[in-house]
Amino acid sequence: MSDSPGGSTTVAVTGWIMTYLCAQPAASDTVRGIREWWLSRVSPPPPEDAVLAILEDLARAGLVLRQVNPDRTVLWSAGPGFSAQPKRAAAGPGGSRP
């Protein structure tokens, strides 16, 4: 993925995935489906291997869950550490609590 203007960055794609899960917390899909549906507004679309790498990072953090079906299809969904509720910043402006 690219960090150049107009390119998808890892941070941006991660944000799109998490935003999608906030809107659809019961969603579950393959890497291809995530790329085509969850990230349909990302232009240019990120490569499949980049989406997989992001999902693997999110899985290590407990935010998404990787499930392998009996037919070996891998599905990704919200993980045990995922919360559909946005987290509020612990500190106010300047780093101090209000």
Side-chain angles (χ1 to χ4, degrees):
M1 279 192 297
S2 169
D3 288 326
S4 63
S8 301
T9 66
T10 300
V11 172
V13 173
T14 300
W16 277 101
I17 290 171
M18 298 310 293
T19 298
Y20 188 90
L21 284 173
C22 283
Q24 304 290 334
S28 179
D29 215 332
T30 62
V31 171
R32 181 178 178 194
I34 290 168
R35 184 175 177 266
E36 292 178 11
W37 295 102
W38 300 17
L39 303 173
S40 63
R41 294 184 177 192
V42 177
S43 181
E48 233 175 82
D49 61 336
V51 174
L52 177 59
I54 291 167
L55 290 167
E56 289 171 341
D57 286 345
L58 291 171
R60 280 189 287 279
L63 297 172
V64 299
L65 181 66
R66 179 182 185 266
Q67 177 183 344
V68 181
N69 288 341
D71 68 355
R72 297 187 186 218
T73 301
V74 178
L75 295 176
W76 299 87
S77 59
F82 175 78
S83 172
Q85 301 298 320
K87 293 183 180 180
R88 294 181 182 222
S96 62
R97 290 183 176 232

